[in-house]
């Protein structure tokens, strides 16, 4: 009995000591966030991993979609097509007769599932990830800047406006998206020139210098306006709805931080709403982008580009109100899973680093206590 009492007493003392240590280390909720706050580098790593995972999972959907489109509408020489994997838009030119080009391979597919099965059986599973390298090259810097900037701006705005302000996701989402697309826009133009014709880096450098000398530095941001009109409102609505859905689900399931499923569900719902509302700007951007690519790839003399509102009025006059929402189903099929996978992967990465920092701080404190 004495032994049992001593054992229970030791456990009680150990428990009290652990609680005391945790309280001393963790403190209030604000101190906890400061102690275990993830660094900017960790945020960048989490967003980078999220972009890679999203590209790996969503790119096969676009490959199949383009192959289905190609069998019904074949591309003639000098033409191109645009596809998007949910993170970036991509344009491919059909100029040569390279029979290895995945978009020119013949196919007789009855539907999406049939296309998946036949591509894997005949061409190999690697064919589903054709076009992945340019996706990663363009998506990674933009995604890292976007998500890292959003978290940094949110933190600054919370200190100014209060942590419960509804304006924080809208402001942080808009500014971070504006910054990321401004940085990436010249890279997109460079990729446009490299894909339109085979250029060495020296030739590319000369080509860019000539463009800048002729039209000025602002020519590197050609096409920025319609992209901003689509992406900035999308980002504002996406983050506003995502934070609302996330907070509600966390309260409903009594979760202190969002689980993978909470982030996934919130991201899919928020992405679907934002994609639907901003679809008219996406339709305009696609039309303006095809015009730009026509000038680039077919060496047509470039006319003055029509404004976004002029293009929108033209689409409305030609196709009616439904023309502004053309392609809503394939856009939702792409954007909803891409948003869900990206944000859930990013939140999981942040949670991982937060726990890692907590564990390191706990070990550091215990080590210093033992030394004393």
């Amino acid at each position: 009995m004495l032994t049992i009492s001593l054992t229970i007493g030791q456990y009680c003392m150990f428990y009290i000591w652990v609680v005391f240590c945790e309280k001393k280390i963790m403190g209030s909720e604000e101190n906890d966030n400061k102690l275990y706050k993830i660094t900017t580098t960790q945020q960048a790593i989490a967003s980078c991993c999220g972009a890679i995972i999203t590209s790996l999972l969503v790119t096969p959907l676009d490959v199949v979609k383009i192959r289905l489109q190609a069998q019904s509408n074949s591309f003639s020489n000098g033409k191109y097509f645009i596809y998007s994997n949910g993170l970036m838009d991509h344009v491919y030119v059909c100029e040569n007769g390279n029979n290895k080009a995945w978009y020119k391979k013949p196919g007789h597919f009855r539907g999406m599932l049939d296309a998946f099965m036949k591509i894997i059986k005949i061409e190999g599973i690697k064919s589903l990830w054709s076009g992945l390298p340019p996706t990663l090259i363009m998506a990674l810097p933009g995604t890292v800047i976007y998500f890292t900037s959003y978290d940094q701006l949110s933190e600054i705005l919370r200190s100014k406006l209060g942590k419960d302000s509804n304006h924080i996701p809208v402001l942080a989402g808009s500014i971070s998206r504006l910054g990321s697309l401004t940085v990436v826009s010249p890279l997109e133009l460079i990729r446009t020139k490299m894909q339109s014709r085979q250029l060495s880096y020296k030739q590319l450098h000369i080509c860019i210098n000539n463009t800048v000398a002729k039209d000025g530095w602002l020519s590197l941001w050609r096409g920025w306006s319609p992209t901003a009109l689509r992406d900035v409102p999308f980002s504002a609505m996406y983050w506003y709805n995502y934070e609302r859905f996330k907070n509600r689900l966390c309260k409903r399931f009594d979760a202190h931080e969002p689980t993978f499923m909470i982030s996934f569900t919130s991201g899919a719902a928020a992405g679907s709403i934002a994609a639907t509302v901003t679809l008219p700007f996406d339709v305009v951007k696609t039309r303006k982008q095809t015009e730009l690519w026509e000038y680039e790839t077919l060496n047509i003399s470039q006319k003055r580009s029509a404004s976004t509102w002029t293009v929108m009025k033209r689409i409305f006059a030609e196709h009616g109100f439904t023309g502004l929402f053309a392609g809503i189903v394939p856009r939702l099929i792409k954007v909803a899973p891409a948003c869900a996978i990206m944000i859930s992967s990013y939140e999981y990465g942040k949670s991982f680093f937060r726990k890692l920092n907590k564990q390191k701080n706990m070990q550091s404190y215990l080590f210093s206590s033992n030394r004393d």
Side-chain angles (χ1 to χ4, degrees):
M1 285 293 292
L2 182 62
T3 306
I4 295 171
S5 300
L6 285 171
T7 305
I8 294 171
Q10 287 170 348
Y11 275 117
C12 289
M13 289 297 292
F14 178 74
Y15 176 75
I16 292 168
W17 181 77
V18 169
V19 171
F20 172 76
C21 287
E22 284 188 346
K23 284 186 176 179
K24 193 167 182 181
I25 295 170
M26 295 170 66
S28 63
E29 189 176 348
E30 287 185 17
N31 290 333
D32 183 50
N33 289 334
K34 288 178 182 177
L35 275 171
Y36 310 132
K37 185 179 71 173
I38 64 174
T39 64
T40 305
T41 304
Q42 289 173 335
Q43 288 172 343
I45 294 170
S47 58
C48 185
C49 292
I52 292 170
I53 292 168
T54 305
S55 298
L56 288 171
L57 293 177
V58 181
T59 296
L61 296 174
D62 268 305
V63 171
V64 170
K65 180 178 72 71
I66 293 300
R67 292 290 294 276
L68 286 169
Q69 288 176 344
Q71 72 175 0
S72 56
N73 300 298
S74 58
F75 301 101
S76 59
N77 272 345
K79 295 297 180 182
Y80 50 85
F81 60 86
I82 297 176
Y83 82 95
S84 170
N85 70 340
L87 288 176
M88 296 294 297
D89 293 336
H90 302 281
V91 182
Y92 279 89
V93 185
C94 309
E95 286 186 317
N96 53 48
N98 182 6
N99 58 9
K100 291 184 179 180
W102 59 271
Y103 50 80
K104 295 186 77 176
K105 289 180 181 176
H108 301 284
F109 310 122
R110 294 190 298 272
M112 204 163 201
L113 184 61
D114 184 54
F116 263 112
M117 299 303 294
K118 285 183 177 176
I119 290 171
I120 292 170
K121 185 178 179 181
I122 299 168
E123 303 167 23
I125 197 167
K126 286 183 180 179
S127 187
L128 291 174
W129 282 272
S130 302
L132 184 61
T135 299
L136 294 175
I137 290 167
M138 289 304 302
L140 288 181
T143 306
V144 169
I145 294 168
Y146 178 38
F147 281 84
T148 306
S149 299
Y150 175 79
D151 276 345
Q152 296 291 324
L153 285 168
S154 296
E155 190 176 337
I156 294 168
L157 290 170
R158 284 191 195 100
S159 64
K160 303 290 183 183
L161 304 175
K163 64 178 183 178
D164 296 325
S165 176
N166 291 326
H167 302 298
I168 291 172
V170 176
L171 290 171
S174 300
I175 296 168
S176 59
R177 190 60 178 175
L178 197 63
S180 66
L181 71 89
T182 302
V183 172
V184 173
S185 189
L187 298 176
E188 180 73 20
L189 185 69
I190 291 169
R191 187 173 61 85
T192 298
K193 292 183 181 297
M194 289 188 76
Q195 284 189 342
S196 62
R197 49 189 181 272
Q198 295 297 321
L199 294 173
S200 66
Y201 287 104
K202 186 177 180 180
Q203 289 172 324
L204 180 66
H205 184 260
I206 294 169
C207 183
I208 292 170
N209 282 342
N210 291 338
T211 303
V212 171
K214 183 181 177 182
D215 302 319
W217 284 100
L218 290 178
S219 62
L220 295 177
W221 280 269
R222 189 177 294 150
W224 179 89
S225 176
T227 306
L229 283 171
R230 181 196 67 173
D231 288 357
V232 173
F234 178 95
S235 185
M237 280 183 281
Y238 170 76
W239 285 110
Y240 175 76
N241 286 308
Y242 171 72
E243 296 289 354
R244 284 185 62 200
F245 291 143
K246 181 183 74 173
N247 291 335
R248 286 184 180 180
L249 289 173
C250 283
K251 286 179 182 178
R252 183 181 179 86
F253 295 103
D254 195 25
H256 296 291
E257 62 178 27
T259 62
F260 183 86
M261 284 308 300
I262 287 174
S263 299
F264 190 92
T265 305
S266 302
S272 299
I273 294 169
T276 303
V277 175
T278 59
L279 185 60
F281 294 109
D282 185 60
V283 172
V284 172
K285 178 185 179 293
T286 301
R287 180 168 288 202
K288 293 192 78 170
Q289 193 176 28
T290 54
E291 288 175 0
L292 175 63
W293 272 86
E294 203 166 84
Y295 301 140
E296 291 284 348
T297 58
L298 303 181
N299 294 320
I300 299 173
S301 58
Q302 187 168 355
K303 300 174 184 177
R304 186 174 178 180
S305 180
S307 68
T308 300
W309 303 112
T310 303
V311 175
M312 196 173 284
K313 284 191 282 186
R314 191 191 307 156
I315 293 169
F316 182 78
E318 291 174 2
H319 306 287
F321 184 76
T322 54
L324 295 172
F325 290 88
I328 187 169
V329 175
R331 179 158 164 80
L332 287 176
I333 290 172
K334 290 184 299 187
V335 173
C339 288
I341 295 165
M342 180 63 216
I343 195 63
S344 53
S345 302
Y346 180 58
E347 292 283 11
Y348 182 84
K350 290 198 298 181
S351 177
F352 170 80
F353 282 119
R354 201 174 289 116
K355 289 175 182 176
L356 187 67
N357 293 345
K358 182 176 180 179
Q359 187 179 359
K360 285 181 179 179
N361 282 347
M362 180 74 78
Q363 288 174 350
S364 176
Y365 178 78
L366 293 175
F367 179 73
S368 62
S369 297
N370 289 334
R371 287 184 63 182
D372 294 340

